Amino acid sequence: MKLGIVGLPNVGKSTLFNAITAAGAESANYPFCTIEPNVGVVAVPDKRLDVLAELFNSEKIVPTAIEFFDIAGLVKGASKGEGLGNKFLSHIREVEAIVHVVRCFEDENITHVEGRIDPISDIEIINIELMLSDLEIISRRIQKTEKLAKADKSLQKELEILNIIKDTIEAGNSVRAINFTDEEKAFVKELNLLSYKPILYVANISEEDLLGNPENDYVKQVIDYASKEKSEVIIVSAQIEAEISELEDEEKKSFLNDLGLNESGLDKLISASYKLLGLMSFLTAGPKETRAWTIKIGTKAPQAAGKIHSDMEKGFIRAEIVNYADLVTCGGYPHAREKGLVRLEGKEYIMQDGDVVVFRFNV
């Protein structure tokens, strides 16, 4: 899973990126301190892995991972090349979803590229640049398709979709706002439009507000804006996340408890990202390793097996599956089998989050 962290300069993007990835991206109080995207790989926390590893005496634990791309701060005019905009926009095309960091705090020591704190204006600057970039691509595609459609009438449907997208963008709305059919979605996905990518807003607030007034007036504006396009908002303090990132696991728990927080911003971000992309994890366990595998919700057993190895999908016979909670309660496979909790599932089985699986296959 690749997530691109975007936002205007000096909203806390790189600070947040550093905190959640510990990758050491440069963070400074001036625009464009990030030019090439910094990349950090983060292991997805999953307590189930530790439990299974102990149960199976596994030699190692392999969690699933998320790649975060810290993409340089975009500015007004990015779609026309302002602030190296074209280069930065091309980086966004490489990710599966956008994490849009919005400044929701005041600090006279940290300059704002627009000279004021206005989260809605900040969001719209970024979104407009993404839409303008899409409009240029769509306009070229329409010209090309119109010529081809004269000889190939089957392209009329594509042309119709392209014109709907163009009209939507020109009306000031992102492509995400359009309700496509499943068949249309497949075509639109191929276009790789920036304003069609799933988006998650991160309201970056001060440490004081996180502890006393997390839904400040700025955050409320972001929540209201996001609700209109059916997007989610999570509230974090990049400042606190930076402090948390320097602590050991036990110290982190104690620090979060002292602050009265149930989870870190990273945990909230990962959970929201999984929901945004419709993802879940199934598990495999044995003496060599216990491992989590990320798949789309609705994935069938053979395709899940293919996540491990393509040969397993091609030669799929069946899946032996037991629910994680049942397996732990029984204390292992033998007892789970005795109680009839290990099921044999075929090619049409839809995987569930927390399935512990052994795939049977022929090479």
Side-chain angles (χ1 to χ4, degrees):
M1 178 163 54
K2 296 180 180 180
L3 302 178
I5 302 179
V6 306
L8 293 180
N10 297 341
V11 297
K13 284 188 310 85
S14 292
T15 301
L16 181 63
F17 174 83
N18 288 348
I20 62 179
T21 67
E26 182 184 1
S27 176
N29 185 24
Y30 56 90
F32 311 123
C33 88
T34 307
I35 296 178
E36 290 300 327
N38 297 297
V39 182
V41 180
V42 177
V44 176
D46 193 334
K47 295 176 182 176
R48 297 174 299 188
L49 295 177
D50 295 317
V51 176
L52 289 177
E54 186 173 343
L55 194 62
F56 285 85
N57 293 315
S58 303
E59 293 176 12
K60 63 178 180 178
I61 295 174
V62 184
T64 190
I66 295 178
E67 284 185 89
F68 286 99
F69 289 69
D70 177 23
I71 297 168
L74 295 168
V75 294
K76 193 179 292 183
S79 60
K80 301 298 180 185
E82 292 294 326
L84 301 178
N86 288 328
K87 188 172 185 180
F88 299 159
L89 289 168
S90 70
H91 295 152
I92 302 175
R93 294 197 191 281
E94 304 302 314
V95 303
E96 295 168 65
I98 296 170
V99 176
H100 188 163
V101 181
V102 186
R103 179 168 171 174
C104 294
F105 66 89
E106 295 186 15
D107 188 333
E108 60 186 22
N109 296 315
I110 302 177
T111 60
H112 190 289
V113 72
E114 292 292 309
R116 68 192 187 287
I117 309 302
D118 185 344
I120 302 307
S121 174
D122 290 1
I123 289 172
E124 290 181 340
I125 286 172
I126 297 290
N127 284 349
I128 286 170
E129 294 307 321
L130 300 185
M131 288 189 286
L132 288 174
S133 178
D134 287 345
L135 184 60
E136 186 177 342
I137 289 171
I138 289 297
S139 297
R140 289 200 303 265
R141 183 67 179 258
I142 287 174
Q143 289 179 349
K144 180 181 176 182
T145 307
E146 281 177 337
K147 292 178 183 177
L148 295 173
K150 291 176 182 178
D152 185 354
K153 298 302 180 184
S154 67
L155 294 175
Q156 286 297 330
K157 179 61 179 177
E158 288 187 9
L159 189 58
E160 181 184 323
I161 297 170
L162 291 169
N163 278 306
I164 290 172
I165 292 173
K166 183 173 183 287
D167 292 343
T168 299
I169 295 174
E170 288 180 337
N173 298 310
S174 66
V175 183
R176 284 186 301 275
I178 306 172
N179 291 318
F180 295 108
T181 65
D182 289 342
E183 186 180 348
E184 291 169 342
K185 285 177 183 177
F187 169 66
V188 177
K189 188 175 181 180
E190 291 176 6
L191 299 173
N192 198 18
L193 301 174
L194 299 177
S195 69
Y196 187 57
K197 290 183 181 293
I199 192 165
L200 171 67
Y201 293 102
V202 175
N204 183 18
I205 64 176
S206 67
E207 181 174 349
E208 291 74 24
D209 277 350
L210 186 67
L211 301 180
N213 181 31
E215 285 196 19
N216 63 33
D217 289 340
Y218 295 136
V219 173
K220 288 176 182 176
Q221 291 176 43
V222 176
I223 291 173
D224 183 58
Y225 183 96
S227 67
K228 292 173 183 175
E229 59 173 40
K230 297 178 182 177
S231 295
E232 191 172 344
V233 179
I234 64 169
I235 303 169
V236 304
S237 167
Q239 182 183 354
I240 286 183
E241 292 303 310
E243 295 175 26
I244 291 173
S245 68
E246 296 177 359
L247 303 175
E248 297 297 328
D249 287 346
E250 288 304 316
E251 292 176 318
K252 285 180 184 178
K253 291 178 184 177
S254 177
F255 184 65
L256 288 170
N257 287 335
D258 290 344
L259 295 176
L261 301 175
N262 296 322
E263 57 184 349
S264 69
L266 173 59
D267 290 339
K268 287 197 287 186
L269 179 55
I270 289 174
S271 177
S273 299
Y274 263 62
K275 181 180 176 183
L276 180 69
L277 291 171
L279 300 175
M280 66 176 204
S281 296
F282 71 89
L283 312 167
T284 56
K288 288 188 177 180
E289 69 174 29
T290 289
R291 186 165 184 157
W293 306 86
T294 298
I295 55 174
K296 285 273 190 182
I297 293 172
T299 299
K300 292 183 178 180
Q303 287 68 53
K307 188 78 175 177
I308 299 174
H309 198 287
S310 58
D311 285 346
M312 296 177 74
E313 180 175 358
K314 292 174 186 174
F316 179 88
I317 299 173
R318 65 179 182 273
E320 295 181 7
I321 296 177
V322 58
N323 174 270
Y324 164 79
D326 289 339
L327 181 62
V328 173
T329 301
C330 292
Y333 265 117
H335 295 301
R337 279 200 181 93
E338 286 174 12
K339 293 188 177 183
L341 297 173
V342 178
R343 312 184 313 275
L344 297 181
E345 301 288 357
K347 293 182 178 180
E348 296 304 310
Y349 175 73
I350 296 174
M351 301 292 292
Q352 302 298 310
D353 185 66
D355 278 345
V356 182
V357 192
V358 175
F359 290 111
R360 302 300 180 187
F361 64 101
N362 273 327
V363 178

